[in-house]
């Protein structure tokens, strides 16, 4: 079956940008995209195969052709150990947004179940670790974050807060307008 490559203009049309981000803004976007992917990995157990399959399904193989290209993009996060020297352009960032939202849609039921559980536990005044789903998610997020990120100062409470915030964000990114929502959040955060 031939690849379903779409022209890059479709990525630009789907996620408009008024002004090109400066290098500091692009670093913020890269860091946030990597964190959102980390949360998705920790919750749904997805890996590079699922991300590459999503890129193929969405016709984004021009931007993310293989594991090396994906690794290079993930490694461009300024939060990563041995990081930041790899480049990521705006269209590659847009491609990652579309991939994240596609995967969030695929795992929407799991994300919704986790957020509902979090709401119930919060109402009951119980800790998220007291359930298998959230406990496994938080443990995987903490471990993967500490493995990959160059941030020895983050406390367990800070990582739990980050993981739960990203979990709630994923709920919105998996909706029909999730890609635009994530893109606008990245742009706003980078200002």
């Amino acid at each position: 079956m031939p690849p379903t490559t779409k022209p890059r203009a479709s990525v630009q049309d789907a996620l408009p940008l008024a002004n090109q981000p400066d290098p500091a803004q692009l670093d913020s976007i890269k860091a946030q995209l990597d964190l959102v992917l980390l949360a998705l990995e920790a919750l749904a157990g997805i890996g590079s195969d699922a991300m590459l399959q999503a890129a193929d399904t969405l016709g984004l193989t021009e931007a993310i052709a293989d594991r090396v290209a994906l690794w290079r993009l993930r490694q461009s996060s300024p939060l990563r150990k041995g990081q930041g020297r790899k480049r990521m352009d705006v269209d590659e960032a847009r491609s990652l947004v579309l991939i994240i939202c596609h995967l969030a849609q695929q795992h929407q039921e799991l994300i919704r179940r986790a957020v509902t559980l979090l709401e119930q536990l919060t109402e009951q005044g119980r800790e998220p670790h007291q359930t298998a789903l959230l406990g496994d998610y938080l443990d995987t997020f903490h471990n993967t974050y500490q493995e990959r990120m160059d941030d020895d100062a983050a406390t367990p409470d800070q990582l739990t807060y980050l993981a739960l915030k990203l979990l709630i964000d994923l709920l919105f990114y998996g909706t029909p307008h999730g890609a635009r929502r994530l893109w606008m959040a990245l742009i706003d955060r980078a200002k």
Side-chain angles (χ1 to χ4, degrees):
M1 174 182 270
T4 55
T5 303
K6 296 177 184 173
R8 293 193 89 158
S10 66
V11 175
Q12 296 161 358
D13 293 342
L15 303 172
L17 186 63
N19 300 306
Q20 286 292 323
D22 64 34
Q25 292 169 322
L26 198 51
D27 277 350
S28 172
I29 291 170
K30 291 187 287 190
Q32 190 63 23
L33 284 172
D34 194 36
L35 289 174
V36 175
L37 274 172
L38 193 154
L40 200 49
E41 286 179 87
L43 181 67
I46 63 163
S48 58
D49 287 339
M51 294 175 204
L52 291 172
Q53 179 61 47
D56 186 47
T57 300
L58 296 169
L60 300 171
T61 53
E62 185 180 327
I64 303 169
D66 53 30
R67 289 181 198 284
V68 173
L70 179 61
W71 177 85
R72 183 182 55 79
L73 291 179
R74 299 285 308 271
Q75 209 50 30
S76 71
S77 168
L79 301 177
R80 288 278 188 138
K81 291 177 179 173
Q83 51 59 34
R85 294 179 293 278
K86 319 300 187 280
R87 71 168 193 84
M88 175 192 289
D89 66 29
V90 173
D91 285 343
E92 290 168 330
R94 287 175 164 129
S95 296
L96 280 181
V97 166
L98 295 175
I99 289 168
I100 288 168
C101 294
H102 178 78
L103 291 170
Q105 286 175 349
Q106 286 185 331
H107 296 281
Q108 184 70 358
E109 183 182 323
L110 177 63
I111 294 167
R112 187 171 302 282
R113 191 167 12 119
V115 171
T116 299
L117 203 52
L118 178 61
E119 288 172 343
Q120 291 170 351
L121 291 171
T122 301
E123 285 175 7
Q124 297 167 3
R126 296 170 54 202
E127 293 295 320
H129 281 95
Q130 294 178 343
T131 64
L133 178 60
L134 292 175
D136 289 348
Y137 166 65
L138 290 170
D139 287 346
T140 303
F141 185 90
H142 281 229
N143 292 337
T144 307
Y145 185 95
Q146 289 169 340
E147 262 176 39
R148 295 181 185 172
M149 305 304 178
D150 190 19
D151 181 9
D152 296 332
T155 67
D157 285 346
Q158 289 170 326
L159 289 182
T160 296
Y161 175 81
L162 177 62
L164 295 177
K165 180 181 181 331
L166 289 167
L167 172 65
I168 294 167
D169 290 347
L170 281 172
L171 183 66
F172 296 103
Y173 301 154
T175 62
H177 299 291
R180 185 171 286 269
R181 185 184 297 250
L182 173 54
W183 185 242
M184 297 311 295
L186 291 169
I187 300 302
D188 285 346
R189 180 187 169 90
K191 287 182 181 174

